[in-house]
Amino acid sequence: MSYADVGITILWTFLFGYIIVASIDFGAGFFSYYSVVTGHQNVIHNIVQRYLSPVWEVTNVFLVFFYVGLVGFFPDAAYYYGTALLVLGSVAIVLLAIRGAYYAFNTYGSSTKERSKVYMALYGATGLLIPAGLSTILAISEGGIIEEAGGRVLFDWREFFTNPYTWSVIILAIVSVLYISAMFLAYYAKKARDQGAFKILRGYALFWSGPTILASLFAFFQIYKQNPEHFMAMIDNSWMFVASLLFFLVAVYFMVKGENLGLGFIAVMLQFGFAWFGYGRSHLPYILYPYINIHESITNESTAIALIIVFAAGLLVVIPSIVLIMRLFLFNAKYVSGQSPKKG
Amino acid sequence: MSSMDPVLLSRILTEVTLFVHIIFASYGVGVPLMILLAEWRGVRTNDQHYVLLARRWARGFVISVAIGVVTGTSIGLQLSLLWPTFMRVAGRAIALPLFMETFAFFAEAIFLGMYLYTWERFKNKYTHLLLLIPVALGSSASAFFITTVNAFMNYPQGFTLQNGVFTNVQPFKAMFNPATPTKVAHVLASSYTVSAALLTCIAAYNILKGRKHVYYKKALKLTAISAFVFAVITAIIGDFSGKYLAQYQPAKLAAAEWHFETMRQAPFVFGGVLGENNEIKYGIKIPYALSILAGNSPNYEVIGLDRIPDDEEPPLYIHYLFDLKVSTGVLLVIIPLLYMLRKKLPGKKHYPKWLLVLLVALAPLAMTAYELGWIFSEVGRQPWILVGYMKVEEAATTSTNVGSMLVLFIILYLVLCISCIRVLSKLFRNRSAEEEMQERGMEGGDHI
């Protein structure tokens, strides 16, 4: 494997981690809001808070990891995406900032009674807007929206908004967030032996499974129109998408039965994992079609080696920490069921 | 105009983001250490007042960390959005410390979450305390790594520039450049000072308001002594930074000192204003002091602005920033020293009102010094973004939307900061330390 391949694999894996962790987070925000509006507030709100509170900062780290790694391995990405995405990127930063800060303010800075509906609405809305916004990068990476002319990088807003592929990834992002999140939270509620919350969340999970698969198919066929070269490469890797579909069926089966939900969530991760890596693999060698090719814009060898070494060393810190936090919070029966003292 | 505008606007937007970020980032680096000190003392001497102190600090700390995190994400992404050409070229050399920083941040983030939710959960009373060590280490390590990036921009090395591309990059040599030791040490020490000063201010404010519980006096003792120690260390490292500048970045030192002619036995100018033809009016001249500051000897030759090409000269107003920063730095040492000598001061009270007012002023003074120091350091390397290699104009984005983004971010930061202050004041007003001591069954109301 070349450094370029190692680099892009590391980055793609981070992004996958972000998708799973952030989906749970973003979807939870939306469900929390939805539950306030429909009066289910107390039933699922506690479950959501108990899961999210200790991990809220971690989600952001995955995104920053990805961004720093991308710029590090492929410095041209900073140039093209950086120049073209000033507006979209800034809006995404603002949304992330509002969500992150107000989550902390509300969770750590106030008592339960003070939670305002405005805040919940903001939290729910950003939970859908952020993934929608971030997902458009996938559409942009297919080419045709960022153009280089006369030594300047330009962003074609008209093409961006009128392109059906842009909208197909936005829809896919939103429904996937709701699906992944509901699948996880239903599992978490079941673990907490919270029947009320489990029933509602199971309903959400099953409700969103249909649109998820439809949106995936829609996006799949839009790629054919947008970038036929990419589509053909996807056909070559079609077994990965078939595997993804099978794991989807397994996950939904467990959810319908209401048992083995831990395995069910692993199936959800495999479902998205296969689709994600299948998509990513067939997108190569381009990070931005046709300007950034991983083999041409890879950083120098010494930096690539140093980054890979640091990455390996970093994992030695990160993986035990994740295991520890899971044992303390996720798989700790006392904490999950709410008997343990909450915050200092 | 349209080609220059993005440069100026990008500079302003970066300045605004950093101005806000470093406030919360400095607390993010220093406060965990203070929490660790308080809880360690509490657990070791079995004094619950210190444990409560750690607990209350930690609660306020999370709120400020939130803004540190989101503004940190902002500046991280803005590096590419506003300075794409810089990142394309220098990305090869600075990616390593940036990457390491995110790992340090990860450790900090994950253990902070654990620390906040595991009070009274472990049988061994030291276990909870141990969770704070990775938080304190992680935040200081982040500061370390990110400051090496800044040091690299001040003293780029470890690469060859060929046709606008870095080749032969040695990432570790780039990271450990001559500017790194003094910069990193100064940033860490001053962050600890700023944090200790903030907590001193809070403790002194409570006593000033007439709260008499021994809890507040213990808090003041711990914080004021820490502030003194950190401020002295910061000042000593500041002196090393001066010597570094004289040797490696003479333009910055010469502009800061209005040192126009290269000479030995150079005087140090304090204050003053610059007249036409660069005459210094009303300044206090201390003979030989600049040579001693720069090279430990009155005969040290200090390079003046005469040796710096005109188009590479930093703006001369940084002299005011430098003087103000140094003066505030001196106050940061004297005020806590007065507190430590309070029993020997004239007058009967050990906590005279004027002393408490000075201690309250410690937080804004420290923050002012911190901001001034950073502005001095950054403006002092104008016109370069990579000293000697790339000027700021060549690095900025060509996008025409920077102006509206500037407005957007100013609104965002204003809203965030105002909310942060409101949330924090509500948090502590709604539940006073006395109430909490009673809730926890600690001896309440004993006035010493």
Side-chain angles (χ1 to χ4, degrees):
Chain A
M1 256 176 128
S2 67
Y3 295 123
D5 292 325
V6 177
I8 196 71
T9 309
I10 291 174
L11 294 178
W12 207 240
T13 311
F14 269 138
L15 210 47
F16 178 65
Y18 181 68
I19 286 182
I20 298 294
V21 183
S23 292
I24 297 174
D25 185 342
F26 292 137
F30 179 77
F31 290 134
S32 259
Y33 171 63
Y34 184 71
S35 69
V36 171
V37 175
T38 54
H40 292 147
Q41 182 173 11
N42 298 325
V43 189
I44 74 161
H45 189 79
N46 290 339
I47 282 286
V48 168
Q49 286 301 321
R50 222 174 294 143
Y51 166 73
L52 283 183
S53 307
V55 299
W56 68 278
E57 265 186 287
V58 176
T59 323
N60 233 3
V61 183
F62 273 96
L63 182 66
V64 178
F65 261 140
F66 168 73
Y67 156 73
V68 170
L70 180 69
V71 172
F73 279 108
F74 307 103
D76 286 349
Y79 177 71
Y80 284 99
Y81 282 119
T83 310
L85 295 182
L86 178 68
V87 175
L88 273 184
S90 297
V91 171
I93 297 172
V94 170
L95 290 175
L96 283 167
I98 290 175
R99 188 181 161 85
Y102 283 89
Y103 179 76
F105 291 168
N106 201 51
T107 313
Y108 302 98
S110 63
S111 62
T112 337
K113 287 163 248 160
E114 291 165 335
R115 247 158 229 151
S116 74
K117 281 208 170 153
V118 179
Y119 159 76
M120 291 303 297
L122 211 62
Y123 191 53
T126 50
L128 294 187
L129 282 173
I130 295 169
L134 293 180
S135 67
T136 57
I137 299 276
L138 293 180
I140 293 167
S141 76
E142 298 289 343
I145 296 171
I146 294 180
E147 299 284 353
E148 192 177 26
R152 286 180 63 138
V153 176
L154 299 168
F155 190 85
D156 187 342
W157 284 100
R158 208 185 135 85
E159 175 66 23
F160 176 74
F161 278 115
T162 54
N163 189 339
Y165 184 60
T166 307
W167 295 102
S168 74
V169 290
I170 290 177
I171 294 167
L172 179 57
I174 292 175
V175 295
S176 311
V177 159
L178 295 174
Y179 167 74
I180 294 174
S181 183
M183 289 296 254
F184 178 82
L185 291 171
Y187 156 60
Y188 196 70
K190 174 112 181 174
K191 243 185 122 62
R193 302 219 178 83
D194 188 338
Q195 272 306 318
F198 172 66
K199 265 190 194 152
I200 297 171
L201 289 163
R202 177 170 172 265
Y204 293 165
L206 293 174
F207 178 82
W208 288 108
S209 61
T212 301
I213 254 346
L214 289 177
S216 309
L217 290 173
F218 180 55
F220 192 75
F221 288 110
Q222 284 302 327
I223 292 179
Y224 175 67
K225 281 194 196 156
Q226 179 76 16
N227 186 337
E229 200 181 321
H230 185 184
F231 183 80
M232 291 320 286
M234 281 173 77
I235 298 296
D236 290 340
N237 290 305
S238 55
W239 66 271
M240 297 181 88
F241 300 97
V242 174
S244 168
L245 186 66
L246 289 177
F247 281 112
F248 166 76
L249 295 174
V250 171
V252 171
Y253 173 77
F254 282 140
M255 191 52 72
V256 171
K257 285 269 202 176
E259 53 197 36
N260 291 333
L261 296 184
L263 282 177
F265 191 70
I266 291 175
V268 171
M269 293 208 283
L270 287 169
Q271 174 200 339
F272 279 88
F274 273 107
W276 182 247
F277 284 93
Y279 168 85
R281 191 174 165 186
S282 45
H283 198 296
L284 291 180
Y286 292 104
I287 304 180
L288 170 62
Y289 185 85
Y291 298 106
I292 314 176
N293 174 323
I294 59 164
H295 300 296
E296 286 162 15
S297 71
I298 181 77
T299 185
N300 44 286
E301 188 180 323
S302 48
T303 303
I305 295 173
L307 286 178
I308 292 168
I309 292 171
V310 167
F311 171 72
L315 284 187
L316 291 180
V317 178
V318 167
I319 291 174
S321 323
I322 292 181
V323 171
L324 188 60
I325 205 169
M326 282 184 157
R327 290 184 55 166
L328 277 175
F329 299 109
L330 225 46
F331 299 112
N332 184 299
K334 239 174 137 183
Y335 176 80
V336 171
S337 54
Q339 291 158 18
S340 200
K342 282 171 84 188
K343 63 188 178 200
Chain B
M1 165 125 176
S2 67
S3 66
M4 276 307 291
D5 257 348
V7 180
L8 183 64
L9 292 169
S10 295
R11 279 184 60 188
I12 298 174
L13 179 47
T14 309
E15 280 160 12
V16 170
T17 303
L18 281 171
F19 185 88
V20 179
H21 178 64
I22 62 172
I23 297 175
F24 296 94
S26 62
Y27 295 143
V29 171
V31 174
L33 189 69
M34 295 300 298
I35 300 176
L36 186 64
L37 267 177
E39 197 183 344
W40 178 68
R41 218 197 135 120
V43 172
R44 199 181 49 113
T45 60
N46 210 10
D47 185 336
Q48 288 306 305
H49 288 142
Y50 285 103
V51 177
L52 180 65
L53 200 56
R55 228 177 157 111
R56 288 176 66 86
W57 284 347
R59 228 176 276 148
F61 177 63
V62 204
I63 307 291
S64 72
V65 162
I67 304 203
V69 170
V70 298
T71 51
T73 312
S74 282
I75 191 65
L77 296 169
Q78 277 176 358
L79 269 182
S80 295
L81 296 176
L82 298 174
W83 310 100
T85 314
F86 165 72
M87 287 304 280
R88 182 188 213 176
V89 175
R92 291 161 194 264
I94 62 173
L96 182 69
L98 285 176
F99 208 48
M100 288 164 114
E101 195 224 348
T102 53
F103 275 107
F105 175 52
F106 190 98
E108 180 198 341
I110 207 158
F111 281 94
L112 181 63
M114 287 189 225
Y115 178 79
L116 290 172
Y117 282 83
T118 51
W119 290 92
E120 287 154 25
R121 205 165 137 184
F122 303 109
K123 285 202 185 83
N124 184 335
K125 55 185 183 172
Y126 284 99
T127 314
H128 182 248
L129 180 66
L130 287 176
L131 289 174
L132 201 57
I133 292 175
V135 180
L137 279 180
S139 54
S140 291
S142 307
F144 174 90
F145 293 126
I146 205 66
T147 310
T148 66
V149 174
N150 184 268
F152 172 80
M153 291 161 84
N154 277 280
Y155 196 94
Q157 68 167 28
F159 61 89
T160 339
L161 192 61
Q162 267 176 352
N163 308 326
V165 178
F166 278 12
T167 50
N168 298 324
V169 180
Q170 296 160 272
F172 286 99
K173 195 175 169 199
M175 224 175 121
F176 294 99
N177 58 70
T180 298
T182 43
K183 260 214 187 266
V184 166
H186 203 57
V187 165
L188 286 177
S190 51
S191 301
Y192 299 146
T193 312
V194 168
S195 307
L198 172 76
L199 300 172
T200 309
C201 161
I202 296 171
Y205 175 78
N206 279 313
I207 299 179
L208 195 61
K209 286 282 254 181
R211 304 199 173 107
K212 294 216 162 56
H213 199 283
V214 65
Y215 167 86
Y216 299 109
K217 290 173 186 169
K218 287 178 182 172
L220 187 61
K221 191 174 170 190
L222 179 73
T223 51
I225 294 177
S226 309
F228 174 76
V229 172
F230 293 138
V232 169
I233 296 174
T234 312
I236 295 170
I237 299 166
D239 180 55
F240 292 142
S241 306
K243 293 180 178 26
Y244 160 81
L245 285 183
Q247 201 178 344
Y248 294 99
Q249 257 180 299
K252 199 190 270 187
L253 186 68
E257 270 312 307
W258 290 344
H259 182 59
F260 296 102
E261 276 168 55
T262 305
M263 61 161 109
R264 292 171 196 283
Q265 304 174 353
F268 182 93
V269 181
F270 185 83
V273 277
L274 211 55
E276 283 169 50
N277 306 324
N278 289 340
E279 310 146 24
I280 303 165
K281 286 183 198 163
Y282 316 117
I284 304 166
K285 274 196 182 181
I286 310 166
Y288 310 120
L290 185 60
S291 283
I292 296 174
L293 176 83
N296 273 341
S297 147
N299 283 320
Y300 185 85
E301 188 183 54
V302 185
I303 295 175
L305 288 168
D306 54 344
R307 296 256 186 100
I308 312 292
D310 282 352
D311 62 338
E312 292 176 15
E313 216 171 74
L316 292 175
Y317 72 80
I318 63 171
H319 174 73
Y320 304 113
L321 305 178
F322 184 74
D323 282 3
L324 265 175
K325 155 184 130 139
V326 172
S327 326
T328 8
V330 171
L331 288 177
L332 293 179
V333 173
I334 294 177
I335 296 173
L337 186 66
L338 285 174
Y339 163 81
M340 286 156 73
L341 300 173
R342 66 192 181 282
K343 289 181 186 159
K344 302 209 170 85
L345 294 175
K348 283 177 191 164
K349 285 183 180 170
H350 285 166
Y351 298 92
K353 204 172 171 189
W354 62 267
L355 180 63
L356 291 171
V357 171
L358 283 180
L359 287 165
V360 168
L362 216 52
L365 282 173
M367 194 34 78
T368 309
Y370 198 82
E371 291 281 3
L372 287 174
W374 267 117
I375 300 171
F376 161 70
S377 172
E378 294 306 284
V379 177
R381 70 180 150 98
Q382 288 301 314
W384 300 104
I385 191 165
L386 265 178
V387 175
Y389 290 94
M390 185 188 269
K391 290 200 173 163
V392 171
E393 294 84 30
E394 304 161 43
T397 180
T398 46
S399 171
T400 45
N401 299 101
V402 187
S404 35
M405 294 304 114
L406 176 62
V407 176
L408 180 72
F409 277 102
I410 289 177
I411 295 172
L412 172 74
Y413 299 143
L414 277 177
V415 171
L416 285 182
C417 290
I418 293 169
S419 321
C420 177
I421 294 169
R422 280 189 51 193
V423 170
L424 279 176
S425 64
K426 219 164 74 183
L427 183 69
F428 289 104
R429 220 163 267 163
N430 283 354
R431 212 157 154 231
S432 73
E434 283 89 349
E435 281 168 16
E436 214 176 323
M437 278 184 267
Q438 255 170 0
E439 278 170 36
R440 296 188 185 280
M442 286 155 66
E443 89 283 26
D446 55 339
H447 300 172
I448 300 174

